[in-house]
Amino acid sequence: MRLPEAWEPVGLVRPELVRQTALIGGEWVSSDRKLTVTDPATGACLGSVPDLGSEATLQAVAAASATFPAWRQHSAPERAAILHRWHDLIQAHTEDLARIMTSEQGKPLGEARGEVAYAASFIKWFAEEARRTYGDVIPGHARDKRLVVMREPVGVVAAITPWNFPLAMITRKVGPALAAGCTVIVKPSDLTPFSALALAFLAREAGLPDGVLNVVTGTAAPIGDVLVSHPDIAKISFTGSTGVGTMLATRAMASVKRVSLELGGNAPFIVFDDADLGEALNGAVASKFRNAGQTCVCANRFFVQAGIYDRFVDGLAERIDAIRVGAGLIEGVDLGPLINEAAIAKSSGHVADALHKGGTLVTGGRAIDGAGHFFKPTLIRDVTPDALLCREETFGPVAGIVRFDTEAQAITMANDTTAGLAAYLFTRDLSRSHRVTEALQCGMIGLNTGLISSEVAPFGGVKQSGFGREGSRYGMDEYLNLKLVCTSVAPI
Ligand code: NAP
């Protein structure tokens, strides 16, 4: 296939944001081997990035290691000033970044603009937190002892990120890492590298020194092999599937690296009879159909109490039928394509399985013929808890509704999963909201809301959804080591 020399989404103000080269030690590097990037809305080839292997990854590790001593010596206000400039540049290039993201990832422009703002918010937040990495002075355990705890950057960080949020999943790691004084190697998904490279381009314009942020593109396995085993990598921060994350974490343990894992979810969305129906429906649409159902915190299983069940199903069907499906670059589209053919196959499989096990199709239910990976927003009622829709992360625009009678049943079904990322709960009963939020096994709960993420709140899961937190004041902890200085003080 002939590759376009310089792909440029229509209407880009700064075409130079589209980089078809990786960034190592401040140099834009190429390679003979390329990976093509396609537009999921059309299947068209957008361009390519270098398919770098272990040798280039070793160079990136060397560059990040070499610059670490100087970067950590920057004062916190100096690091913060660069991050603030980066934040402002990201904001100023919202439209271009959104167009690049939509072209390679598929999400509607409105959502892409929202992600740019969300991504930028982490850079600003951690620029502010850079100035607040306080230590402790602890009352000594003996008369002659003084205890001081310092917080120091962990060192070189490898950030491995997925395709579903091509900017925000990077800034949520890189923001705190740089603020803490770490240097970073980013391995973006090979499906969405252009967003990562545009971000890195703006980081350089903001004045980030060469080698502090490196972006290595290419086939995952050889890059990952170096990152998880290299002695100079101090920390692996991974966002992606539970399978890959578990494998990488296990291997990283061989050299006792620090690891944080943001993995897959299987969020329950529980609606009790006493819920505000309109609020629950708004929450359901926001949580299930954002990014075409391809978010880790998407509602994956709907548990709806018998007394409100039919009204909820009817209301959701009406709202789903109003969703406008199309290419994300067209203004006004609500739901873009899925990322690839495998995603279409998974949604189709989950629909077939749910219907086979007794569910009834209300609307949608199949892929849309023609170019691109489009799937009709789908609603299935009377789904059984053993359906794949309830057992696995669907990662597509398919809502399956399970009926329940009692609070205890809802809690048991909600917790019947190895995942523990997000959960949603709709009720106007104060006591019930306390009981159920305490009983749910997960890292985040939306109580009467379907949208829970922000830079100020800790994001992360329990069980096989991972460990560590991103965003919030806790997000810095992932990139800092504690160092105790115990001083013996002679008496006068
Ligand atoms: P994935 O297949 O696990 O990939 C995630 C990243 O890991 C990609 O950059 C991928 O590269 C890379 N990777 C794959 N194999 C690797 C290896 N052997 N060595 C090093 N890197 C490797 O996940 P995905 O399909 O991109 O993302 C969807 C998943 O992410 C879902 O399960 C979703 O729930 C989860 N997610 C979780 C959160 C959270 O905060 N908990 C947020 C967003 C997404 P390539 O793409 O180049 O293969």
Side-chain angles (χ1 to χ4, degrees), residues 160-165 169 172 187-191 218-221 223-225 238-242 244-245 247-248 262-265 295-296 393 395 421 459 465 470:
I160 303 175
T161 56
W163 50 265
N164 62 342
F165 287 90
M169 296 304 96
R172 218 163 66 168
K187 208 300 283 171
S189 168
D190 62 4
L191 299 169
T219 309
I223 296 172
D225 286 349
F238 175 87
T239 298
S241 61
T242 298
V244 174
M247 179 273 289
L248 293 176
E262 297 282 352
L263 306 178
T295 89
C296 53
E393 200 179 23
F395 242 54
L421 195 57
F459 193 104
S465 290
E470 294 192 329

Side-chain angles (χ1 to χ4, degrees), residues 253-264:
M253 276 304 118
S255 48
V256 198
K257 298 190 190 311
R258 286 191 58 174
V259 173
S260 41
L261 298 173
E262 297 282 352
L263 306 178

Side-chain angles (χ1 to χ4, degrees), residues 178-193:
L178 297 184
C182 301
T183 53
V184 185
I185 299 158
V186 175
K187 208 300 283 171
S189 168
D190 62 4
L191 299 169
T192 55

Side-chain angles (χ1 to χ4, degrees), residues 332-383:
V333 158
D334 303 311
L335 193 112
L338 297 187
I339 190 70
N340 55 22
E341 207 44 53
I344 292 280
K346 188 164 195 192
S347 284
S348 301
H350 278 198
V351 169
D353 172 80
L355 300 182
H356 175 71
K357 288 179 174 143
T360 304
L361 185 66
V362 180
T363 187
R366 61 176 180 81
I368 298 173
D369 297 335
H373 311 297
F374 294 95
F375 199 91
K376 281 178 179 280
T378 296
L379 179 61
I380 305 175
R381 60 176 293 157
D382 306 327
V383 168

